[in-house]
């Protein structure tokens, strides 16, 4: 499906091209070049046919990227995205490119250039035929903002037998003969043994903490004292409050102890429902001192010490949340049934696929669903690009449990939201069915003395 790769430092241009080419465009933020060109090239997934380099990359970066990509993906087309300035000749001499594209080029002109370069790469045997698409340029657009570079100036390996003609020509393909582009769908993965579960959502207040707490509770029924719950909502994590725990230590101390199993154990707080908790840092400014890589090391270490590691995260895709997802076998993605949240989740998925950071197993939870909101559950799938796995209704029981400091599935097992949350627990651990003994024993243990 992926056809094009964009490496740039312009979030605005990146957003524009992602909107234009959707799943066919993978993007790589230019920031990765800080770690070196090889590191950046290693991040590219799904063999691209054409790489767009720029805007806002230097000549040195563009040159090195072009060479690195050509080595990794022989036959790849290279388009440099930059303004045509007086130094263009230097770039043409030094970078192995096939075309220059102005960042100001219209959508139609951009699509037209890529379509023609694609055609040429296929007819000259450098790439396999692209999947069908309707994304062609507006035939009324003259595309004059693009100039194709003289291909003879490119290195021999890139010299085409029949180069695409001037960009000012009519697009070579007619929109009417193009088959429809398939809707975006989440790629199929799965099947790895669940060990580390990250609970994430692009927006705040969707129910991450509620799900993380109840997941740890349900898993601990089957694996007592072998579940650890990390509150990685670094600034405003509230797991200690929701579980009525006194947080005498938190994630900052645990991350410091990441290299030493015995020290890590001294940082854990035990919950009476037989699982351990690492609360969020005790004050928001401590979030800054937590190095994401060290947090990743802590997660890996905990995964060797416990059967399950459950991680609650900060909304969005900040560095720490990306780290949690990178180290997770399972991602639980939470959204409410609103257009804004569903769209945000789709964007989050697209980005994670692009970055190669989508966990192997994933579970989509539609939370706090209620009637008469203008949307029904069936509306979610086409927006997200994948069907929700668990539907949790809105219920006052969730807030009552949080205020009581008791996990919902033990506070009121018959609550409709509790039953739905239980199905999520059972997706991960099928043996986690509720039993009277378990629930009563745990409830008593949480009641005031
Ligand atoms: N299914 C539900 N029905 C009713 N209320 C819910 C439901 N799920 C969550 N809530 C309530 O919504 C609020 C937000 O839930 P929660 O704290 O779990 O979300 P979050 O994603 O962790 O939020 P944040 O982004 O602030 O960390 C809480 O008051 C919670 O009690
Ligand atoms: Mg939360």
């Amino acid at each position: 499906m992926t056809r094009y790769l964009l490496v740039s430092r312009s979030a605005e241009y990146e957003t524009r091209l992602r909107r234009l080419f959707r799943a066919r465009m993978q993007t790589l933020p230019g920031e990765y070049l800080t770690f070196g060109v090889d590191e950046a090239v290693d991040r590219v997934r799904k063999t691209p046919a054409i790489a767009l380099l720029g805007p806002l990359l230097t000549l040195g970066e563009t040159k090195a990227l072009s060479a690195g990509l050509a080595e990794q993906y022989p036959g790849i087309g290279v388009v440099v995205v930059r303004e045509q300035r007086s130094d263009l000749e230097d770039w043409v001499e030094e970078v192995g490119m096939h075309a220059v594209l102005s960042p100001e080029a219209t959508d139609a002109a951009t699509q037209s250039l890529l379509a023609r370069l694609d055609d040429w790469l296929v007819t000259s045997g450098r790439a396999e035929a692209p999947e069908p698409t309707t994304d062609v340029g507006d035939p009324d657009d003259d595309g004059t903002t693009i100039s194709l570079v003289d291909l003879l100036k490119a290195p021999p390996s890139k010299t085409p037998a029949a180069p695409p003609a001037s960009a000012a020509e009519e697009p070579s393909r007619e929109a009417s003969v193009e088959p429809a582009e398939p809707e975006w769908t989440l790629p199929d993965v799965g099947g790895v043994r669940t060990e580390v579960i990250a609970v994430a959502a692009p927006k705040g207040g969707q129910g991450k903490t509620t799900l993380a707490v109840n997941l740890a509770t349900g898993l601990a029924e089957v694996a007592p004292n072998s579940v650890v719950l990390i509150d990685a909502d670094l600034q405003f994590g509230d797991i200690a409050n929701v579980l009525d725990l006194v947080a005498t230590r938190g994630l900052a101390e645990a991350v410091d102890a990441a290299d030493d199993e015995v020290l890590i154990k001294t940082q854990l707080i035990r919950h009476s429902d037989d699982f351990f908790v690492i609360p969020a840092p005790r004050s928001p400014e401590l979030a800054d001192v937590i190095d994401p890589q060290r947090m990743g090391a802590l997660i890996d270490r905990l995964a060797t010490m416990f059967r399950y590691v459950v991680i609650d995260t900060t909304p969005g895709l900040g560095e720490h949340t990306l780290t949690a997802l990178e180290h997770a076998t399972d991602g639980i993605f939470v959204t409410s049934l609103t257009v804004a949240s569903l769209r945000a989740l789709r964007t989050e998925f697209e980005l994670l696929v692009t970055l190669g950071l989508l966990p192997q197993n994933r579970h989509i939870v539609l939370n706090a669903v209620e009637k008469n909101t203008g949307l029904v559950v069936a509306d979610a799938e086409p927006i997200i690009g994948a069907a929700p796995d668990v539907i949790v209704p809105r219920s006052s029981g969730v807030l009552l449990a949080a205020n009581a400091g008791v996990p919902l599935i033990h506070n009121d097992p018959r609550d409709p939201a509790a039953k739905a949350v239980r199905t999520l627990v059972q997706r991960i651990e099928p043996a986690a069915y509720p039993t009277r003994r378990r629930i009563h024993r745990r409830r008593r243990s949480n009641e005031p003395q």
Side-chain angles (χ1 to χ4, degrees):
M1 180 71 161
T2 305
R3 192 77 187 154
Y4 309 128
L5 165 73
L6 170 69
V7 187
S8 89
R9 283 207 178 79
S10 164
E12 199 187 328
Y13 191 70
E14 192 179 304
T15 308
R16 202 184 123 203
L17 260 63
R18 288 183 61 74
R19 180 182 49 72
L20 210 51
F21 294 103
R22 288 176 275 176
R24 282 179 298 144
M25 176 66 70
Q26 55 176 321
T27 56
L28 185 69
E31 284 68 29
Y32 278 114
L33 290 165
T34 318
F35 307 109
V37 167
D38 289 346
E39 182 74 19
V41 172
D42 278 353
R43 291 250 159 198
V44 177
R45 304 273 184 277
K46 311 231 177 93
T47 313
I50 296 177
L52 293 98
L53 308 180
L56 302 180
L57 301 182
T58 65
L59 173 56
E61 287 171 338
T62 310
K63 193 175 148 188
L65 263 176
S66 167
L69 287 166
E71 194 182 320
Q72 183 103 349
Y73 304 104
I76 192 170
V78 176
V79 176
V80 170
V81 184
R82 68 186 295 275
E83 294 300 344
Q84 295 180 42
R85 291 196 310 256
S86 52
D87 62 345
L88 182 62
E89 280 298 306
D90 300 342
W91 286 64
V92 172
E93 292 294 333
E94 296 204 31
V95 180
M97 69 170 103
H98 294 97
V100 178
L101 172 62
S102 163
E104 306 301 325
T106 60
D107 289 353
T110 304
Q111 289 169 314
S112 165
L113 171 72
L114 293 187
R116 265 176 296 149
L117 184 53
D118 235 346
D119 276 350
W120 172 75
L121 289 167
V122 172
T123 52
S124 63
R126 284 164 171 78
E128 289 182 3
E131 286 168 34
T133 161
T134 50
D135 286 344
V136 295
D138 174 2
D140 293 328
D141 192 295
D142 65 11
T144 46
T145 42
I146 296 171
S147 82
L148 287 175
V149 166
D150 177 0
L151 291 151
L152 293 173
K153 290 181 182 168
S157 65
K158 303 257 175 66
T159 305
S166 140
E169 285 181 9
E170 285 297 306
S172 57
R173 291 193 266 184
E174 293 293 326
S176 57
V177 298
E178 296 286 339
E181 181 186 64
E183 282 297 314
W184 188 84
T185 49
L186 212 46
D188 270 344
V189 283
V192 302
R193 178 183 153 100
T194 296
E195 285 166 355
V196 178
I197 306 149
V199 185
K203 288 179 171 281
Q206 309 284 288
K208 294 180 297 303
T209 301
T210 303
L211 293 175
V213 160
N214 283 282
L215 193 58
T217 307
L219 294 173
E221 292 171 359
V222 180
N225 300 317
S226 205
V227 177
V228 63
L229 172 62
I230 306 175
D231 192 343
D233 185 355
L234 297 193
Q235 288 194 311
F236 298 106
D238 49 0
I239 283 184
N241 287 334
V242 170
L243 286 175
D244 201 15
L245 295 171
V246 181
T248 48
R249 44 200 181 268
L251 186 57
E253 291 83 357
V255 165
D256 276 346
D259 299 327
D260 185 330
E261 227 168 83
V262 179
L263 263 186
I264 292 177
K265 282 186 181 157
T266 64
Q267 303 302 331
L268 306 174
I269 296 179
R270 190 169 179 283
H271 187 267
S272 51
D273 279 356
D274 298 337
F275 61 90
F276 293 92
V277 179
I278 298 180
R282 280 172 294 148
S283 66
E285 70 272 15
L286 279 175
D288 292 340
V289 303
I290 297 183
D291 172 37
Q293 274 193 345
R294 296 278 301 157
M295 192 182 99
L298 174 70
I299 295 169
D300 288 348
R301 177 70 68 149
L302 288 166
T304 66
M305 298 163 56
F306 291 89
R307 172 67 190 89
Y308 293 112
V309 180
V310 180
I311 312 170
D312 187 16
T313 63
T314 311
L317 287 179
E319 251 187 313
H320 293 90
T321 301
L322 285 176
T323 302
L325 289 165
E326 189 174 9
H327 291 257
T329 54
D330 290 51
I332 292 180
F333 295 92
V334 197
T335 174
S336 58
L337 187 54
T338 62
V339 173
S341 294
L342 295 166
R343 286 212 174 123
L345 183 57
R346 179 193 180 115
T347 307
E348 174 158 323
F349 279 140
E350 287 176 343
L351 198 61
L352 288 173
V353 168
T354 304
L355 294 172
L357 291 180
L358 191 66
Q360 284 288 301
N361 304 323
R362 57 171 174 265
H363 319 267
I364 298 175
V365 179
L366 217 50
N367 187 34
V369 174
E370 52 193 337
K371 288 189 179 146
N372 306 324
T373 59
L375 284 189
V376 293
V377 169
D379 294 324
E381 180 172 354
I383 301 179
I384 303 174
D389 298 298
V390 176
I391 319 292
V392 181
R394 178 172 288 282
S395 160
S396 56
V398 178
L399 196 53
L400 286 173
N403 287 341
V406 180
L408 171 70
I409 58 171
H410 286 174
N411 195 52
D412 186 358
R414 290 186 197 85
D415 177 272
K419 286 182 180 165
V421 170
R422 175 70 69 176
T423 64
L424 173 69
V425 180
Q426 286 171 325
R427 265 178 77 85
I428 292 179
E429 178 49 86
Y433 48 85
T435 66
R436 207 172 281 259
R437 187 187 63 81
R438 274 175 183 159
I439 289 159
H440 284 180
R441 182 168 64 80
R442 311 262 185 262
R443 280 196 70 184
R444 271 201 303 279
S445 70
N446 277 295
E447 281 164 8
Q449 302 295 312

